[in-house]
Amino acid sequence: MKPSGIVVLLSGSGSNFQAILDASKESSFPQEFSAVISNNPIAKGLLRASDAGIPAIILDHRAYQDRESYDAALAKLIHRFNPKLVVLAGFMRILTTDFVKQFEGRMINIHPALLPKYKGLNTHQRAIDSGDTHHGATVHFVTPELDDGPNILQAGLTINENDTADTLATRVLELEHKIYPMVVDWYMNDRVKMFENQCYLDQYLLPESGYELNDENEYTDNDY
Ligand code: GRF
């Protein structure tokens, strides 16, 4: 059977999942969400899923001996839904290469920094500490190296003098809620693809930064 629908993996609040869900509901072709899976039994994102009538599944990593056995169980669970797309939405786990390979080209992630800058954690403080004036969020395909797959879309903001890691977290999250639904929509409508570790939008090769929105962080068809 042809893969269809979306499986979301999350560990926490799930505000990005909610943004994708809300945007999908407003679209004329709402997406099918097959399941939301969390390694954290008390993730708020699970409640958001059950409120929306989407299967909310707990797969607690603490019940597994090691990363390999957890990832094998997780892969098996995801395969049951045969999804077209796997969306990592704040899934706070380092993934094994074997797991990633099974979903390469159909698994995406959002990261709170302008990748390749600031892979990993504490991205906002690191941007401030480095004296950056520009910061933002990136949606990218997932490859085995952490936060390293080809970028699909970035949105940026200017760091103000009085910004702290907390204010930046809030401001960047707002951008995330805008760009993640866009990329999910592109992917589900076969507009975006990964090929030989590069990213194509409507068959145009995207720059390494991914698609860059205009100064107002708006998408325009004429930009590429
Ligand atoms: C976001 O900051 C995202 O960039 C990172 O994890 C956080 C998830 O937030 N990968 P939420 O659970 O979607 O609210």
Side-chain angles (χ1 to χ4, degrees), residues 17 29 31 56 65 85 101 108-109 113-114 126 133 140 147 150 152 161 165 185 193 199 215 219:
F17 157 58
F29 298 101
Q31 304 298 347
Q65 248 183 358
L85 178 65
K101 290 266 178 218
I108 57 176
N109 181 44
L114 296 172
R126 286 158 68 199
T133 53
H140 65 97
D147 298 329
I152 304 170
E161 246 175 51
D185 183 72
K193 278 201 172 25
C199 183
D215 289 347
Y219 167 78

Side-chain angles (χ1 to χ4, degrees), residues 65-76:
Q65 248 183 358
D66 51 29
R67 198 172 289 285
E68 284 69 28
S69 54
Y70 179 78
D71 280 10
L74 181 60
K76 199 170 164 198

Side-chain angles (χ1 to χ4, degrees), residues 13-23 48 110 137 139 155 169-182:
S13 156
S15 70
N16 275 290
F17 157 58
Q18 187 76 56
I20 295 166
L21 182 65
D22 292 347
R48 295 180 192 267
I110 191 153
V139 181
T170 307
R171 294 179 62 208
V172 170
L173 197 60
E174 260 175 51
L175 294 179
E176 294 182 28
H177 294 165
K178 187 168 179 172
I179 62 175
Y180 218 0
M182 281 175 74

Side-chain angles (χ1 to χ4, degrees), residues 198-209:
Q198 291 186 304
C199 183
Y200 293 80
L201 177 62
D202 298 334
Q203 285 155 29
Y204 289 92
L205 177 64
L206 290 176
E208 272 182 32
S209 55

